[in-house]
């Protein structure tokens, strides 16, 4: 005991502040992870322009298009060129 106060009473405010900071940080982290996440979808289709066939892939996240890619298909074999 120093100056008439026990040691535990001197460190109690620091412990309370540290615990409160830990609880607030944990709560904010959990809240950030609970948000609904958009689903990513990949669609494929064959597009024709005259005699040319193309295989096109579209990648979407939610309603946003992230990527579109098209490759020409061989007219005889149907394989990618």
């Amino acid at each position: 005991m120093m100056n008439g106060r026990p040691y535990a009473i001197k460190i109690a405010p620091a412990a309370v502040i540290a615990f409160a900071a830990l609880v607030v940080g944990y709560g904010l982290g959990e809240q950030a992870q609970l948000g609904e996440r958009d689903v990513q979808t990949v669609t494929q289709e064959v597009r024709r322009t005259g005699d040319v066939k193309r295989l096109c892939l579209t990648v979407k996240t939610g309603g946003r298009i992230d990527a579109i890619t098209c490759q020409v298909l061989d007219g005889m074999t149907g394989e990618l060129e």
Side-chain angles (χ1 to χ4, degrees), residues 15-27:
V16 169
I17 291 170
F19 180 75
L22 180 67
V23 169
V24 169
Y26 180 78

Side-chain angles (χ1 to χ4, degrees), residues 25-63:
Y26 180 78
L28 291 176
E30 286 295 313
Q31 182 180 3
Q33 294 176 1
L34 291 177
E36 191 172 317
R37 297 185 182 177
D38 291 331
V39 176
Q40 188 175 47
T41 58
V42 179
T43 56
Q44 65 181 20
E45 63 178 313
V46 176
R47 295 182 184 172
R48 297 174 190 228
T49 306
D51 292 340
V52 179
K53 291 182 185 177
R54 294 174 291 147
L55 176 64
C56 296
L57 300 176
T58 304
V59 179
K60 291 183 180 180
T61 303

Side-chain angles (χ1 to χ4, degrees), residues 56-79:
C56 296
L57 300 176
T58 304
V59 179
K60 291 183 180 180
T61 303
R64 184 184 75 235
I65 296 175
D66 295 326
I68 297 176
T69 182
C70 295
Q71 291 183 308
V72 176
L73 294 172
D74 186 327
M76 299 297 281
T77 64
E79 296 178 356

